[in-house]
Amino acid sequence: MEKQTNNNNNNNETPTFAKISTLNSIDLSSSDIHNSVFLLKQACLDSGFFYVINHGISQEFMEEVFAQSKKFFELPISEKMKLLRNEKHRGYTPVLDELLDPEHQVQAVGDYKEGYYIGVEVPEDDPEAEKPFYGPNIWPATEILPGWRQTMEKYHSQALEVARAVGRIIALALDLDEDFFDKPEMLGKPIATLRLLHYGSGQVSDPSKGLYGAGAHSDYGLITLLATDDVVGLQICKDRDAKPQIWEYVPPVKGAFIVNLGDMLERWSNCVFKSTMHRVLGTGKDRYSIAYFVEPSHECLVECLPSCKSETNPPMFPPVRCGEYLSQRYRDTHADLSKYKKS
């Protein structure tokens, strides 16, 4: 039974109610792989969102990551701006830096959230560091946040293992070999980005005025693992073409990841699996979440999978290199860094 809650809506969303979404849970500790594949496939066909439980990252460590994230965001803005993101998308992103819905002209200003990007650590003198999204990370000084870097690096490593486990179930659900996404050009050398997020207290979203914690968007890559605190805010829209659009809240589940599919997987699967539009509404309470974006290597060619095309269902998208595709999506949604040099 779906509950309903009052919700402000913009002109495209005339209903005054938002549903509470019911999502499948995939248990990574289960030995019944056939059931896991069935549940995941059902979720991918329906909404592109599902929970992952018993994933192997302890609740105690998850709480430590959230505590360290909160410590960073509680720093004075002057300290945080010293760690402003660079062109490799490493470091701090201030409030309004990102405009996630630039196309539909319903978002009046940037997102009312602040964030911190942590990517794959690549030394500056490594030839790989020349590539977008690779290079050294930006870290807060040890004397300001002791142990912070070690916590985030450990989480980055553990989350990647969870992503690979989910990738194996997705491969089976697409009638591929289980290790399809484990290949070196895919999740063997991924572009994996950890992003700490904070939606501040006092910010109440108002879709009728185009004000959002995070504007409506779909994620860019393969999958996203999202850990959240217990403050509700995430909404999904299963049918972006519906008029009016129906938005459903995704409730947090303690100890679980909320997993969603990205646009690259939608391209790979020829739209068999959905990359679902979602957004975040601020409620006036502090809300913390940790997103882990998983994409294949820079050179990976994303093209329609053999199991997802036929004579009557030809490929809908041209092949694209992962690194080029991601770079363009980030350019479309992030403020030009030159704006901060002027202020």
Side-chain angles (χ1 to χ4, degrees):
M1 185 73 180
E2 290 177 318
K3 304 174 187 176
Q4 294 188 322
T5 57
N6 286 325
N7 178 48
N8 291 326
N9 295 277
N10 65 28
N11 293 334
N12 296 323
E13 303 158 28
T14 50
T16 55
F17 298 97
K19 298 178 180 179
I20 302 295
S21 192
T22 302
L23 302 180
N24 284 353
S25 287
I26 313 300
D27 185 345
L28 289 189
S29 69
S30 172
S31 59
D32 188 347
I33 189 65
H34 296 292
N35 186 56
S36 295
V37 170
F38 171 78
L39 290 172
L40 182 142
K41 189 169 187 175
Q42 189 181 53
C44 292
L45 293 171
D46 173 52
S47 67
F49 272 76
F50 50 93
Y51 297 109
V52 164
I53 59 174
N54 296 324
H55 43 68
I57 302 180
S58 73
Q59 184 62 30
E60 183 182 29
F61 181 56
M62 290 295 303
E63 289 172 3
E64 172 63 16
V65 179
F66 272 97
Q68 292 282 18
S69 173
K70 186 176 181 182
K71 284 180 183 177
F72 172 79
F73 288 118
E74 287 176 342
L75 291 174
I77 186 64
S78 58
E79 286 295 322
K80 290 185 285 192
M81 288 301 288
K82 292 176 184 176
L83 302 164
L84 180 69
R85 69 174 170 89
N86 58 22
E87 69 284 348
K88 294 296 186 80
H89 293 284
R90 299 287 205 277
Y92 177 62
T93 56
V95 174
L96 305 182
D97 179 77
E98 195 174 9
L99 183 71
L100 277 173
D101 191 9
E103 295 179 16
H104 301 100
Q105 300 179 336
V106 298
Q107 193 172 355
V109 293
D111 295 351
Y112 278 98
K113 70 175 190 295
E114 55 181 344
Y116 200 93
Y117 281 117
I118 301 166
V120 177
E121 183 75 28
V122 179
E124 205 163 3
D125 58 357
D126 189 316
E128 291 281 291
E130 298 293 320
K131 297 175 180 176
F133 309 104
Y134 274 12
N137 280 298
I138 297 173
W139 299 108
T142 304
E143 58 269 23
I144 296 176
L145 293 175
W148 200 87
R149 173 176 179 170
Q150 291 77 5
T151 298
M152 297 308 163
E153 287 185 324
K154 179 180 176 182
Y155 183 78
H156 194 291
S157 174
Q158 291 192 7
L160 182 56
E161 292 310 307
V162 177
R164 286 176 172 148
V166 174
R168 293 178 195 118
I169 302 174
I170 290 173
L172 293 172
L174 287 168
D175 298 319
L176 303 167
D177 290 339
E178 185 177 10
D179 63 354
F180 179 83
F181 292 111
D182 285 331
K183 297 172 185 174
E185 69 273 19
M186 295 195 190
L187 298 188
K189 289 184 69 176
I191 302 171
T193 304
L194 168 60
R195 194 175 189 198
L196 310 174
L197 293 164
H198 172 228
Y199 302 84
S201 62
Q203 293 296 340
V204 180
S205 295
D206 187 346
S208 68
K209 296 179 181 176
L211 303 177
Y212 299 91
H217 65 288
S218 54
D219 289 347
Y220 314 148
L222 179 63
I223 59 171
T224 301
L225 309 180
L226 181 72
T228 75
D229 61 14
D230 58 2
V231 178
V232 174
L234 175 65
Q235 292 185 325
I236 63 174
C237 176
K238 293 181 181 178
D239 184 357
R240 68 180 67 196
D241 298 320
K243 296 188 186 303
Q245 291 175 343
I246 305 297
W247 289 92
E248 304 179 11
Y249 278 102
V250 176
V253 172
K254 189 176 182 67
F257 280 115
I258 299 167
V259 181
N260 64 281
L261 312 183
D263 296 338
M264 281 187 201
L265 189 54
E266 184 171 275
R267 295 174 77 105
W268 253 318
S269 70
N270 212 22
C271 293
V272 172
F273 285 177
K274 297 180 179 183
S275 174
T276 298
M277 196 159 63
H278 51 287
R279 68 187 187 186
V280 175
L281 298 189
T283 61
K285 296 180 181 178
D286 278 304
R287 179 177 182 268
Y288 295 88
S289 65
I290 302 168
Y292 190 74
F293 302 105
V294 185
E295 7 273 9
S297 74
H298 289 83
E299 290 75 25
C300 182
L301 188 66
V302 181
E303 58 183 339
C304 184
L305 297 166
S307 60
C308 298
K309 63 183 177 182
S310 65
E311 286 186 15
T312 56
N313 185 31
M316 300 182 191
F317 305 99
V320 64
R321 295 280 173 198
C322 174
E324 296 166 10
Y325 179 76
L326 278 181
S327 293
Q328 185 58 56
R329 295 293 298 272
Y330 273 75
R331 281 194 295 270
D332 290 344
T333 54
H334 287 71
D336 192 311
L337 284 169
S338 62
K339 90 168 195 173
Y340 296 110
K341 294 172 184 174
K342 296 171 187 173
S343 56

